[in-house]
Amino acid sequence: MTIKVLVAYATKNWSTAEIARTITEVLRNEGLEPEMRLVSEVGDVQAYDAVVLGSPLYAGRWHKDARRFVRRSAQPLAKRPVWLFSSGPLDASAGERDIPPVPAVRRALIRLDAKGHITFGGCLREGAKGRVARMILKSGKGGDYRDFGQIAAWAQRIGATLLGQVAVGPGER
Ligand SMILES: Cc1cc2nc3c(=O)[nH]c(=O)nc-3n(C[C@H](O)[C@H](O)[C@H](O)COP(=O)(O)O)c2cc1C
């Protein structure tokens, strides 16, 4: 039996897309059937057995497309195993400790009965959109703080969990 996993992500400057791609590749290597989609382009969540949903943090909040998706799809999401991730910190903190979800994401975790959440380091590179982004870059505080080993390990745990669930039967989810 194949397990279809939606890997949905929001982004402004595409670094979260690269995180989603790594998660997708790992899940595929684990034997699952992942589909990576921009969250604004997701059709029917019912087509998937499980969902990984991620968004960058901007000014302490998830991207609006991810927030909208949670509102719009709360019902089918709550019926599936869901994992959430945030990407953001432009320093080494995400590799050093667990960074808790921002308040609205914490509420989403409860509402969706999500299996887990992780905050990955963020990335801000030359060419990023927005005046504040340019200011951050000018002050020398940009950079790439994503740890693809950490991202892959998290995705591997999701894959193992989903495969374990199938072993006990999808009806017992
Ligand atoms: C204007 C602006 C505001 C940001 N606010 C936050 C924030 O509140 N918390 C955080 O951890 N990271 C923050 N970041 C860092 C971004 O989340 C990080 O650059 C992220 O990797 C961007 O993802 P994207 O390339 O997919 O859009 C901010 C970046 C910018 C440019």
Side-chain angles (χ1 to χ4, degrees):
M1 183 199 148
T2 57
I3 305 175
K4 287 190 80 172
V5 186
L6 171 65
V7 182
Y9 67 97
T11 187
K12 193 166 168 187
N13 287 302
W14 296 102
S15 69
T16 309
E18 290 160 2
I19 294 175
R21 186 175 312 123
T22 298
I23 293 168
T24 304
E25 282 166 6
V26 168
L27 292 177
R28 186 164 296 124
N29 289 341
E30 296 281 305
L32 298 138
E33 208 176 280
E35 265 182 37
M36 178 175 157
R37 293 269 178 274
L38 206 50
V39 74
S40 55
E41 293 173 1
V42 173
D44 192 354
V45 172
Q46 319 251 22
Y48 303 96
D49 300 304
V51 178
V52 179
L53 168 64
S55 170
L57 292 165
Y58 280 95
R61 300 171 81 186
W62 261 16
H63 189 286
K64 67 174 176 358
D65 291 350
R67 288 186 272 129
R68 190 175 299 153
F69 179 70
V70 169
R71 278 199 304 275
R72 177 165 57 91
S73 304
Q75 276 201 346
L77 286 172
K79 290 189 185 135
R80 291 166 168 69
V82 172
W83 284 264
L84 308 179
F85 73 87
S86 305
S87 66
L90 296 173
D91 55 32
S93 58
E96 291 163 357
R97 59 189 166 86
D98 277 350
I99 298 181
V102 296
V105 175
R106 194 168 56 233
R107 287 195 293 276
L109 266 164
I110 295 164
R111 187 172 174 198
L112 306 178
D113 193 21
K115 301 256 178 222
H117 168 272
I118 190 167
T119 303
F120 296 123
C123 172
L124 191 68
R125 290 173 288 214
E126 284 304 325
K129 288 180 237 168
R131 191 177 54 85
V132 180
R134 284 194 295 277
M135 277 167 51
I136 297 171
L137 286 165
K138 210 169 161 195
S139 69
K141 295 207 174 106
D144 189 350
Y145 294 92
R146 295 168 299 175
D147 176 345
F148 286 95
Q150 181 197 26
I151 295 162
W154 187 70
Q156 241 158 21
R157 286 197 295 278
I158 292 174
T161 303
L162 288 170
L163 290 166
Q165 280 184 348
V166 161
V168 297
E172 293 177 43
R173 270 212 282 270

